[in-house]
Amino acid sequence: MKITANPAAISHPDTGAYDLAVIGTGMAGMAASLIAADRGLSVAQAGLTGEILFSSGFFDFLAIHPVREKRYWTNPWDAVHSLVQDHPDHPYTRISGQTMRHAWDVMLSFLEREGLPYYRESEENIRMITSQGTIKSTYCLPQTMQPGANGLKQNLPCLIADFPGMREFSAVQIAESLRSQWKDIRTLRIQFPGTDGLTELYPELMARALELPLNREKLAMLIKPHIKEVKIIGLPAVLGIDKSLQATNDLSERLGLPVFEIPTIPPSVPGIRLKETFERALPQIGVRQFLQKRVLRVNTEPDGLFRLDIGSVSPEHTIKARAVILATGRFFGGGLYAERDGIRETVMGLKVVQPATRSEWHRDDFFDPAGHPIHHAGLETDNLFRPLDASGHPAYPNLFAAGSILAHQDWIRSKSGVGIAVCSAAAAVESCIYLKEGKR
Ligand SMILES: Cc1cc2nc3c(=O)[nH]c(=O)nc-3n(C[C@H](O)[C@H](O)[C@H](O)COP(=O)(O)OP(=O)(O)OC[C@H]3O[C@@H](n4cnc5c(N)ncnc54)[C@H](O)[C@@H]3O)c2cc1C
């Protein structure tokens, strides 16, 4: 699918009204802006860096259900089917399979077009190793990691290399943790090119260094003497920023073996790649972005338009919009705030579904496999993803919510973070268009 610039948005003056204002620049906000611009809406978006920077790069859809039983699913679509039977309140129950497929297709074809291709197996979760040497099931992963998933599946003899000074990544730890599942892993520690005398390495700087072919050649020369009897080579995810797949393929060619990236702990290079891709490419398709700014206030005008004051501390821009998608995340993103007497929604003071008292936020056993009630707190919506007020009606006719701010889901335990973000964003955009076309 080809996404072209949206002339309605590009020519849009700040003095008129946008079709849609998106609050938040996490995965949900980025997906909402992308899908809305793709559908021809004029879009403005504001936010600070979201959890994207902390992402491993994996896009989870749904891997575990029920969380209490920690039941793993090979097929995420079957998992969704089971989940919606068991939890009629879950956001996935309000999203059709068609909308979910469309959401993934738009997101993945956008990333591919922008030089950050992702890999998925049509109906199956992919098993891949993490920075801790555990195995995680996810729906899509950066193409640069795919040979690793393949190597794990086929138990190929593998060499994992790390670098002194890169504290967050230990090849030995990964190999030890994986021993029972991936038997033939050897490890190697080599000096990262050009870092003699440095005691601490920073993944982003390493990745930028490896954008240069000369540094990749130096790295290849250091690894080459150690690749006897292995069929695949794993490295921390530092193989370039802008052209990571080209950098990975180039290193593979120089070494004569498939090379793959392993996620590192956050903040991660795969997260930086996603952030930079969205920030570079969304304006090109017409999204007006106000980055590193927050929406300080949202008011409604007598004509029904929303007026948003945007700035760092005091208003620097004011825009108007016919509809708003609130994608401000949970506690980490800043969309929810926990106070002694309860959890509140930070931008519009919306009603937050939450345990009746603070003492019920957590279960007695911190490691209770069922998780904690506080992780299900958030905004309750109608089927069009409009947040509900205390009387159970939409708080505003044209206000929608998407992403982790939604109630009745525990994305951490169910491994569904990006899935909920992207699919609910698509559903919210569809609702916005549905209402815009007057089908109330
Ligand atoms: C460490 C970590 C690792 C993760 N790893 C994975 C993974 O491997 N796979 C996976 O699928 N998911 C993962 N996730 C989860 C995933 O990143 C999130 O669940 C998902 O992206 C939710 O996105 P969101 O957009 O709803 O919220 P967030 O990413 O929290 O974004 C919220 C946005 O709202 C903005 N905002 C808040 N208030 C305002 C305001 N007043 N004005 C303007 N903007 C505002 C914030 O600045 C931010 O941009 C991980 C999360 C974390 C924290």
Side-chain angles (χ1 to χ4, degrees):
M1 188 201 61
K2 187 162 163 45
I3 300 172
T4 48
N6 168 9
I10 284 175
S11 61
H12 194 283
D14 272 358
T15 46
Y18 289 88
D19 291 326
L20 177 66
V22 175
I23 310 180
T25 47
M27 276 308 287
M30 296 301 193
S33 292
L34 168 65
I35 294 166
D38 180 44
R39 295 288 302 270
L41 301 189
S42 59
V43 183
Q45 178 182 25
L48 305 155
T49 302
E51 288 176 20
I52 287 182
L53 271 188
F54 292 80
S55 161
S56 60
F58 294 166
F59 286 178
D60 304 342
F61 184 10
L62 185 65
I64 298 181
H65 171 73
V67 292
R68 187 186 291 276
E69 294 167 21
K70 287 200 177 157
R71 179 176 169 194
Y72 268 91
W73 291 76
T74 308
N75 182 320
W77 299 95
D78 288 348
V80 169
H81 184 71
S82 174
L83 174 108
V84 301
Q85 308 291 321
D86 297 343
H87 296 289
D89 287 340
H90 192 282
Y92 276 162
T93 59
R94 301 190 167 88
I95 313 173
S96 70
Q98 195 187 2
T99 298
M100 290 181 179
R101 284 183 195 278
H102 176 71
W104 284 117
D105 288 348
V106 173
M107 178 57 72
L108 297 185
S109 46
F110 166 80
L111 291 175
E112 174 144 25
R113 188 176 66 99
E114 293 304 325
L116 188 55
Y118 266 65
Y119 173 80
R120 69 174 158 173
E121 291 178 0
S122 59
E123 301 291 314
E124 291 204 352
N125 278 321
I126 304 164
R127 295 176 80 239
M128 178 55 185
I129 61 175
T130 70
S131 57
Q132 306 304 305
T134 54
I135 293 179
K136 180 173 170 180
S137 287
T138 189
Y139 184 52
C140 323
L141 37 75
Q143 191 79 52
T144 54
M145 297 183 187
Q146 191 273 333
N150 190 40
L152 171 66
K153 201 188 233 173
Q154 298 187 27
N155 220 336
L156 298 178
C158 174
L159 176 75
I160 297 181
D162 67 12
F163 308 102
M166 192 181 176
R167 293 183 188 159
E168 58 274 78
F169 188 91
S170 162
V172 170
Q173 188 199 327
I174 292 174
E176 283 305 315
S177 308
L178 278 174
R179 197 66 72 197
S180 63
Q181 311 209 50
W182 192 346
K183 299 212 173 351
D184 192 352
I185 297 189
R186 296 134 207 230
T187 63
L188 172 67
R189 176 157 289 194
I190 42 171
Q191 193 72 36
F192 190 81
T195 61
D196 291 349
L198 293 183
T199 52
E200 192 163 1
L201 302 188
Y202 298 98
E204 181 175 354
L205 299 183
M206 297 163 79
R208 297 205 189 272
L210 288 179
E211 305 229 291
L212 301 176
L214 180 65
N215 287 330
R216 295 200 291 269
E217 177 58 18
K218 286 183 188 166
L219 182 59
M221 297 301 283
L222 290 167
I223 297 175
K224 220 166 193 166
H226 305 274
I227 57 175
K228 296 177 198 82
E229 295 169 12
V230 297
K231 296 254 183 289
I232 188 164
I233 300 165
L235 292 167
V238 295
L239 305 183
I241 301 271
D242 278 347
K243 297 192 171 76
S244 51
L245 185 58
Q246 286 92 322
T248 307
N249 289 344
D250 177 66
L251 202 53
S252 297
E253 269 173 38
R254 291 175 196 272
L255 289 166
L257 284 177
V259 169
F260 68 96
E261 289 192 308
I262 302 168
T264 59
I265 60 163
S268 73
V269 170
I272 295 169
R273 289 176 192 149
L274 282 167
K275 175 179 174 296
E276 291 194 356
T277 301
F278 285 121
E279 291 182 1
R280 182 189 67 245
L282 288 184
Q284 289 169 8
I285 59 167
V287 176
R288 170 82 164 98
Q289 287 191 317
F290 299 88
L291 298 175
Q292 298 309 331
K293 305 268 179 244
R294 61 177 66 248
V295 172
L296 303 169
R297 214 174 7 256
V298 181
N299 290 316
T300 48
E301 304 273 285
D303 54 7
L305 295 176
F306 288 102
R307 201 184 73 233
L308 290 81
D309 292 335
I310 299 169
S312 299
V313 182
S314 54
E316 297 161 34
H317 309 270
T318 297
I319 61 162
K320 291 183 180 178
R322 294 180 188 86
V324 167
I325 292 182
L326 190 68
T328 45
R330 296 170 87 80
F331 304 103
F332 191 74
L336 299 181
Y337 190 77
E339 291 178 308
R340 293 221 68 78
D341 56 349
I343 301 164
R344 67 179 173 84
E345 187 281 310
T346 56
V347 179
M348 301 181 73
L350 297 165
K351 183 191 151 215
V352 177
V353 174
Q354 55 188 292
T357 63
R358 191 184 163 100
S359 61
E360 294 165 74
W361 285 3
H362 296 96
R363 294 182 209 279
D364 292 342
D365 177 3
F366 186 73
F367 296 105
D368 193 314
H372 299 282
I374 192 172
H375 295 140
H376 289 256
L379 302 183
E380 183 140 37
T381 70
D382 67 1
N383 286 340
L384 296 178
F385 282 89
R386 294 181 297 186
L388 301 180
D389 64 17
S391 65
H393 296 103
Y396 299 87
N398 289 329
L399 173 70
F400 308 88
S404 59
I405 196 169
L406 297 169
H408 308 300
Q409 50 84 21
D410 182 351
W411 64 264
I412 301 176
R413 282 183 175 71
S414 58
K415 311 280 180 234
S416 56
V418 170
I420 290 177
V422 171
C423 295
S424 63
V429 170
E430 265 180 23
S431 299
C432 173
I433 292 169
Y434 175 80
L435 295 179
K436 182 172 177 252
E437 290 171 356
K439 298 173 192 159
R440 284 166 195 258

